[in-house]
Amino acid sequence: MASPTRPYRPEGLDDAFTTGSDAPAPAASPPAPGPAGTPGEAPVALPQLGVAGWLRWGWRQLTSMRVALLLLMLLAVAAVPGTVWPQNAQDPARVQDYLADHPTAGPWLDRLGFFDVYSSVWFSAVYLLLTVSLVGCILPRSRVHLAALRGRPPRTPRRFDRFPAHGRALSDEAPRALVERAAAELRRPWPLLPLVRRHRVDVHDEGGGTWSVAAERGYLRETGNLVFHLALVGLLVCVATGQLLHYRGQVLVVEGRGFANAVVSYDSFEQGTAFRPESLVPFTLRLDEFTSRFDPDTLQSRYFRADVTLTEPGDEPRTHAIEVNRPLQAGGANVYLQGNGYAPDVTVRDATGAVAFAGPVPFLPQDEVYTSRGVVKVPEVATGEQIGIVGFLLPTAEEAAPDLWRSTDPQPEDPVLVLSVWSGNLGLDTGVPQNVYRLDTARMTQAVDADGRPVTLYVRPGETVELPGGLGTFTFEGLPRFAAFDLRHDPALAGVLAFALLAFGGLAVSLFAPRRRLWLRGAPGTGDAAGRTVVTAAGLARGDDLALGGEVGRLLRSVLADPARTPPAGTAARSTPPTDRAPRPGRARS
Amino acid sequence: MTTGDLSTLLVWAAMTALTIALVAWTVDLARIADAATQASRRAVAARGRVGAPAVAVAAVPVGAPVTGGGSGGGSGGADAAGDDPDGFSLTTTTGSGLGRAGDDAPALGRSARAEGIARSTTWLGLVLLALGVVLRGVASGRWPTANMYEFTLVGSLVAVAVLAVVQRRRAVAFLGVLVLGIVVLALALGLLVFFVQADAVQPALDSYWLIIHVGVAISATGVFTVGFGAAVLQMLVDAREEGRSRTRLAAWRVTGPRFAWLAQVPSAQRLEALSFRLNAVGFVLWTFTLIGGAIWAEHAWGRYWGWDPKEVGTFVAWVVYAAYLHARTTRGWNGRRAAWFVVAGYAVVLANFTLVNLVVDGKHSYSGL
Ligand code: HEM
C-alpha cells in the first residue's frame, strides 16, 4: 500500500509532477533491507505469487490507468449497437419487425442481447468493471491527497536546470532579503479572496549565506479531480437507487374525468424491485380542460396545456396547469403531459333500443392533422352478436374525392367519424389481454350493403345513424379531448442532479486550476558574479501549464524590481515580460 | 424582403467571405510548402555535392528548420543575456516557452498578403455570420438553435471565432485551411440541404433549455473543430519529427520533402498543448451538454436518461474524450496516440449531429428535415 511519504500513483500513470520533483530523494526511499530473518519481511520478498499474489496483481491491473483507458474505450464501443439496432426498452414494435424481417440473424442478435444493449451482460460488465476500477484507484489517491493537503512544499531542489521553466538573474542585494521578498510575493492573497494565499510557502536557510524559498499551489486541482471521480461513483449509486425505488405509470384521461393514484388506475405501470405499491400517495387528478394551438400555416403544434384539479389527501382541491416541459408535482411524483387527442363520446343502442355502450372512446392521433384511429367494442348486447365499430376521426373533414375523406386541420372545425361495423365474437373472453385500440376480427364479419360492399358510416356530432343489419343505432354525442399523462416517482433525482453538478464542478477545477511548484534561490555569486547575488528560480507544473514560464519570469522580476533602485530607462526594455517577447506576426502586416 | 431572407443572404455572404479566407490560407500554405520543399531539395543536393553517402529523401533532417531561423530541436533558446547587467535569462521547455523556431516566428516563405487577406475575410465572415444568426433569431422569434440549419450556423460561428482567436498571435496556415474547409463545407450543406424557413418551434422545444443545452452543445462542437485541427497537425508534425511514416507512397510520406513545411509550424508539443486546451474546454462544455440534456429530458419526457440514439451518441463522444484525457496521462499512450482519440471523438460528435439526426429515428428527431 502506498505510504504517505510516497505519492500514490495508479499503475501506468505518466506524471512528471510527482516523478521529477524531489531532489533529496534518499530520505523517502524504503528502508534498507533488514538482516535476514527479520520477522514479517521475508514472505513478502519471496518471488512466488500464490493466490493472494495473483489477486493483488489482478487488482493492480484493474486499477491501472491502462485498463481504465481500455475499459473507457470498451464502454464507448459497447454503447454503439444500441443506436444501430432497435431496442426493446424504447420501441418493442420495431424489434418485432426486425425479428420478422431477419429470421436468421435476428434470433442470434436477440440471444446476444443486441436488442437490450443497456441491460445486457456485456454492457453491464464493462461499466461495473469500470466502476470497480475507478473506486480502486480513487480511494487510495484520496487518502494520499488528504495527507498532502496538510503537507509542506517540497524542499528546494539543488539543481534547477532540469525543470521545464527556470531562470537566472544577478542582483546586488543580500540573498536573504531577496528570498524574503519572493516569499512575500508568493504569499500574496488572491485579489478577490483576501484570506486565501496564492501559494503555500517555506523559506529555507541553506547555509553559507544561501537562502531559498519553496512554494506550491493548486491543491484544488487534485481535489477537483478526485471530486469529479468520486461524484461519478455517487452518480452511479444514485441512478441505481432510483432504479430500485422508482415507479412509472401512464394514464389517459378524458376531459371532465379523473383518476386516482393507484396501480389499478394506470393503463400501464412499471416499478422498481424495491418499490412498494402501498406507498403510493392516493391523490386524485381530474382533467378540466385541454387546450392546444397549432401554427395556422404549417399546422405544426405550438402549445399544449392541460388544466387539472389535483386533490391530495387531507387537502383542498387545487387547480393547476400542466404543460409540456412543465410537469406538476403530486404526491411525490411528477406528472408529465405526454400526449393528447380526441375521445369521441358515443352511445350505442342495440336492436332492442337499450343502451349497450355509452361514454368517450379515445382515438389515437396518427398524423399531424390528428387523423385518429379507434375502436368501439360493444360486448353487452341484449340480443344477437357482439358489435365492434372501428374507424377514424377526422377533426376537420373534407371530401377530397368521392368517398375519399381526409382531415385538413388538427382542430375540430368539422369533425366526422368514418366507421365500419363488425359483428360476431370480440374475443374478450379468450383470456388473452387485448389491445383496446385494435379490433380482433378473427371471429367477426364486416357489415356489407346489398351489393356486398363494406358499409361505411359518416357521423357528425349530434347525429344518430342506424347500424347496418339491424344491429341498432350509433350516436356521436360530442367530442371531448383527452390528455395522456406520465407519472414518475424517483426519490434519487435530487441526488443524481447533485452528483452530476459536483462532477461538473470538479472537472472544471481539475482541468483549469493550475498546479505548480515554484522555487527561488539566492546565493552569493562566484567568478564573474563575485560580490553579487545569483538569483535562480524554477517552476514545475502538473499537466500543461502555458503560464508556467511567465510565472517564473514574474517571480524573478518581482524580486529584482527593487524600489530603492529605480530602473534606468534601458531596464524597462530589458525586463519586458519574456512571454511577450515573441513577435506578433498577426499584428505586423508586413 | 423578410428578415428571414435577409438572414439567409447574410449567411451566403459570410460563406463567400470564408471561402475567400479558405483560398487565401491555402495559397499561404502552398507558398510555405513550396519554399520548404525547395529548401529541403537544396539541402539534399548540397549533401550530395559534398560527397556524403546519398541520403534518401526521407532522411532529410526532419523537424529541424530548413533554413535560417533559430536553434531547432526540443529545448528552447535562452534569452541572449550577454550585455544584461542583471544577467536575466529564462528558459522554458513547455508551455509558453519556445519549442523551436517554428513556434513563435512566422513561417518561412509565407505570403504575408495571403495571410492578411485570410485574416480580414475571416473576421468579415465572422461578423456577417453573427448578423445572420441574430436575424435568424429575430425572424423566428426565438433563440436560433432549433434545427440542423441553425445548428450549422451557430457551430460554424463558434468554430470560426475560436480559429480567429487562435490565429491571432501565430498564424498556422494549415489550421486555417482545415478548419475553414470544414466550416465552408458545413455552411454549404446547411444552406443547400438542411435549410428550413425560420419558424417557431413545437411545444417540446419551447424551453429555455433550448438556449442552454443546445447552445452549449453547438459551441462545444465549434471548439472541438479547432481542437481537432490542432490534433491532426500535431500528429503530422510528430510523425515527421519522429521520422515515421505509414504510407509507402513516396510522395505522401510525411517525412518526405512534400511535407517539409511541417518544420514551419509550432512543435508537436506546442500543438498538443493547444489541442489539449481546446479539447478540454470542449469537454467541459460537452459535460454540461450531457447534464443539461438530462435535466431537460427530465422536464420534457419525464426521464433524465433513456438511451435515445442522440443520448447514446453524446455519451459515446463524452467517453471518447474522457479516454483522450486519460490517454494523455497514461504512460505509452500520450502524444500522437492520444491525438487519435481526438480524431475518434470528433468523428463521433459529427456522426451524432448528422447520422443520428438524419438516419436513426429517436426522440430527438426535431430537426425538421
Ligand atoms: C480506473 C479508473 C480510473 C482511473 C485510474 C483514473 C485515473 C485518473 C487520473 C490519475 C487522472 C489525473 C490525470 C492528471 O492528473 O492529469 C484522471 C483524470 C481524469 N479522469 Fe479518470 N480515472 C478513472 C476513471 C475515470 C472515468 C470512468 C472517467 C469518466 C468517464 C474519468 C474521467 C477523467 C477525466 C475527465 C479526467 C481529467 C483529465 C485531466 O485532468 O486532464 N476517469 N483520471
Side-chain angles (χ1 to χ4, degrees):
Chain A
M1 296 280 109
S3 79
T5 48
R6 232 180 318 152
Y8 165 81
R9 290 186 298 118
E11 284 277 313
L13 176 66
D14 200 10
D15 186 358
F17 195 67
T18 41
T19 45
S21 59
D22 288 353
S29 67
T38 309
E41 288 256 314
V44 183
L46 282 180
Q48 80 209 29
L49 270 173
V51 178
W54 278 109
L55 282 176
R56 200 171 308 130
W57 179 84
W59 179 251
R60 263 218 305 277
Q61 290 304 310
L62 185 59
T63 59
S64 75
M65 278 301 269
R66 245 176 255 105
V67 171
L69 189 57
L70 187 77
L71 288 172
L72 278 172
M73 286 191 279
L74 269 178
L75 185 67
V77 172
V80 172
T83 60
V84 178
W85 285 283
Q87 298 294 296
N88 273 319
Q90 276 89 34
D91 201 344
R94 270 186 51 220
V95 176
Q96 291 312 316
D97 291 349
Y98 188 93
L99 284 172
D101 293 347
H102 302 80
T104 38
W108 277 105
L109 290 170
D110 196 15
R111 226 162 290 156
L112 295 174
F114 278 85
F115 302 119
D116 297 281
V117 167
Y118 306 106
S119 51
S120 69
V121 181
W122 39 274
F123 189 79
S124 312
V126 174
Y127 76 75
L128 286 178
L129 276 177
L130 195 59
T131 315
V132 172
S133 161
L134 182 59
V135 171
C137 118
I138 229 64
L139 288 185
R141 269 176 72 201
S142 306
R143 215 176 47 232
V144 171
H145 183 58
L146 278 180
L149 281 176
R150 295 188 300 272
R152 302 303 311 170
R155 287 186 67 89
T156 319
R158 238 167 273 129
R159 291 171 51 217
F160 283 169
D161 45 10
R162 64 200 166 86
F163 286 103
H166 55 95
R168 180 180 182 280
L170 294 174
S171 169
D172 292 325
E173 281 182 274
R176 181 168 186 178
L178 287 165
V179 164
E180 294 288 358
R181 196 179 309 135
E185 167 70 18
L186 290 165
R187 283 200 188 100
R188 222 160 28 99
W190 292 104
L192 296 179
L193 302 165
L195 293 180
V196 184
R197 293 176 166 174
R198 276 178 216 234
H199 296 83
R200 197 169 287 180
V201 178
D202 278 348
V203 172
H204 303 285
D205 176 3
E206 299 187 342
T210 301
W211 285 73
S212 74
V213 57
E216 179 154 16
R217 64 161 286 189
Y219 297 88
L220 209 54
R221 184 187 178 94
E222 178 77 354
T223 309
N225 190 282
L226 293 173
V227 165
F228 168 75
H229 286 89
L230 289 171
L232 287 186
V233 179
L235 188 68
L236 272 175
V237 170
C238 279
V239 170
T241 313
Q243 279 297 310
L244 286 179
L245 293 175
H246 86 288
Y247 75 77
R248 167 175 217 134
Q250 278 153 338
V251 59
L252 198 148
V253 186
V254 177
E255 275 176 329
R257 307 202 165 196
F259 77 100
N261 187 28
V263 175
V264 290
S265 309
Y266 290 101
D267 301 332
S268 69
F269 192 82
E270 176 240 326
Q271 64 181 59
T273 40
F275 176 78
R276 288 172 307 116
E278 309 88 82
S279 66
L280 282 177
V281 180
F283 63 83
T284 59
L285 191 77
R286 198 176 56 144
L287 177 62
D288 301 322
E289 193 187 356
F290 186 85
T291 317
S292 63
R293 251 201 337 265
F294 299 87
D295 187 289
D297 298 325
T298 62
L299 300 181
Q300 282 182 347
S301 56
R302 287 291 172 251
Y303 181 68
F304 295 133
R305 190 181 77 233
D307 288 298
V308 298
T309 303
L310 171 70
T311 314
E312 294 192 90
D315 216 350
E316 291 294 301
R318 282 216 190 98
T319 57
H320 300 273
I322 306 179
E323 294 172 19
V324 183
N325 275 315
R326 283 173 197 82
L328 167 73
Q329 302 211 330
N334 285 328
V335 187
Y336 303 88
L337 177 58
Q338 287 298 1
N340 66 83
Y342 296 100
D345 188 5
V346 304
T347 305
V348 178
R349 291 187 172 77
D350 61 18
T352 67
V355 173
F357 179 94
V361 183
F363 274 47
L364 299 186
Q366 308 289 311
D367 57 19
E368 277 201 333
V369 285
Y370 279 59
T371 307
S372 311
R373 196 191 158 95
V375 182
V376 183
K377 295 182 186 177
V378 190
E380 312 284 329
V381 282
T383 59
E385 293 179 310
Q386 295 181 323
I387 308 171
I389 304 170
V390 314
F392 290 94
L393 167 77
L394 310 176
T396 301
E398 182 196 78
E399 193 166 11
D403 282 341
L404 188 67
W405 290 72
R406 57 177 191 143
S407 177
T408 56
D409 195 309
Q411 298 286 18
E413 306 294 341
D414 177 19
V416 169
L417 278 170
V418 180
L419 305 168
S420 56
V421 182
W422 298 68
S423 59
N425 188 335
L426 286 169
L428 297 179
D429 48 6
T430 56
V432 183
Q434 263 205 345
N435 185 336
V436 291
Y437 301 106
R438 278 199 198 277
L439 186 67
D440 178 7
T441 55
R443 285 182 286 168
M444 305 196 84
T445 49
Q446 188 170 10
V448 290
D449 61 16
D451 303 335
R453 275 178 309 178
V455 175
T456 307
L457 304 175
Y458 300 90
V459 199
R460 291 195 153 80
E463 291 180 354
T464 298
V465 295
E466 291 278 328
L467 293 174
L471 289 169
T473 59
F474 177 94
T475 312
F476 186 178
E477 312 275 0
L479 191 58
R481 297 174 188 251
F482 73 80
F485 293 114
D486 254 25
L487 267 84
R488 195 157 136 260
H489 163 76
D490 183 346
L493 225 48
V496 171
L497 179 65
F499 279 115
L501 293 180
L502 208 58
F504 178 72
L507 178 73
V509 168
S510 98
L511 285 177
F512 302 131
R515 171 116 199 230
R516 290 188 197 120
R517 290 172 181 164
L518 291 173
W519 296 279
L520 182 133
R521 173 179 284 125
T526 54
D528 273 1
R532 306 187 73 187
T533 299
V534 178
V535 190
T536 48
L540 180 70
R542 158 163 273 167
D544 295 282
D545 187 347
L546 285 117
L548 183 66
E551 282 292 300
V552 173
R554 189 156 32 241
L555 179 63
L556 266 178
R557 249 171 285 111
S558 76
V559 176
L560 296 177
D562 176 5
R565 199 197 60 167
T566 26
T571 324
R574 189 182 58 234
S575 59
T576 344
T579 37
D580 289 345
R581 177 183 35 157
R584 297 191 174 192
R587 299 275 157 77
R589 198 161 293 160
S590 49
Chain B
M1 188 158 65
T2 65
T3 322
D5 294 341
L6 187 58
S7 157
T8 312
L9 206 65
L10 281 166
V11 175
W12 276 106
M15 191 175 89
T16 312
L18 292 174
T19 309
I20 297 173
L22 171 61
V23 171
W25 280 126
T26 312
V27 168
D28 189 29
L29 181 61
R31 289 279 178 80
I32 296 170
D34 255 9
T37 308
Q38 274 167 22
S40 144
R41 293 235 159 84
R42 271 201 303 278
V44 175
R47 281 186 196 201
R49 271 201 304 279
V50 191
V55 188
V57 169
V60 163
V62 154
V66 179
T67 48
S71 50
S75 79
D79 254 340
D83 55 348
D84 184 343
D86 280 350
F88 194 102
S89 73
L90 188 73
T91 311
T92 45
T93 49
T94 58
S96 67
L98 294 182
R100 56 181 196 170
D103 276 3
D104 281 310
L108 293 170
R110 79 195 173 111
S111 157
R113 219 169 104 216
E115 271 185 27
I117 292 174
R119 277 172 199 287
S120 38
T121 45
T122 302
W123 284 107
L124 177 67
L126 197 59
V127 172
L128 290 172
L129 196 54
L131 282 176
V133 169
V134 169
L135 285 189
R136 177 85 186 175
V138 172
S140 52
R142 53 167 171 74
W143 201 258
T145 48
N147 50 51
M148 284 189 78
Y149 172 64
E150 292 166 7
F151 300 158
T152 314
L153 296 194
V154 179
S156 304
L157 182 70
V158 174
V160 176
V162 173
L163 177 74
V165 169
V166 168
Q167 300 277 59
R168 207 188 38 195
R169 287 185 123 210
R170 166 70 163 88
V172 181
F174 178 85
L175 218 49
V177 173
L178 192 65
V179 173
L180 285 183
I182 294 174
V183 164
V184 168
L185 200 69
L187 284 178
L189 263 177
L191 283 166
L192 300 174
V193 183
F194 303 152
F195 182 80
V196 288
Q197 288 298 336
D199 201 353
V201 288
Q202 59 192 87
L205 290 182
D206 181 13
S207 163
Y208 52 90
W209 285 104
L210 183 68
I211 307 172
I212 307 177
H213 166 67
V214 185
V216 171
I218 302 169
S219 306
T221 308
V223 176
F224 279 143
T225 302
V226 186
F228 164 75
V232 169
L233 188 56
Q234 173 208 337
M235 296 200 300
L236 288 175
V237 173
D238 193 50
R240 188 173 169 91
E241 280 175 357
E242 254 184 37
R244 297 209 320 168
S245 187
R246 279 185 194 286
T247 163
R248 300 266 151 261
L249 282 163
W252 288 104
R253 284 215 185 125
V254 75
T255 47
R258 180 166 286 184
F259 282 90
W261 58 271
L262 284 172
Q264 299 301 317
V265 301
S267 64
Q269 201 184 21
R270 276 285 285 269
L271 289 165
E272 135 80 357
L274 174 66
S275 158
F276 165 67
R277 262 183 310 158
L278 290 168
N279 285 310
V281 172
F283 183 70
V284 169
L285 293 177
W286 200 252
T287 308
F288 188 83
T289 304
L290 210 55
I291 297 174
I295 298 176
W296 192 6
E298 175 65 35
H299 285 252
W301 299 326
R303 88 285 185 294
Y304 54 83
W305 194 263
W307 296 109
D308 179 73
K310 194 66 149 198
E311 291 169 355
V312 176
T314 310
F315 174 75
V316 170
W318 187 76
V319 171
V320 173
Y321 277 103
Y324 162 68
L325 294 181
H326 279 109
R328 291 183 69 248
T329 59
T330 306
R331 214 174 303 129
W333 277 91
N334 44 11
R336 186 146 39 114
R337 278 192 167 183
W340 279 109
F341 286 91
V342 176
V343 175
Y346 188 64
V348 177
V349 167
L350 284 192
N352 193 34
F353 171 57
T354 51
L355 289 183
V356 172
N357 281 17
L358 302 175
V359 182
V360 187
D361 64 63
K363 274 181 167 297
H364 277 84
S365 308
Y366 294 124
S367 52
L369 279 187

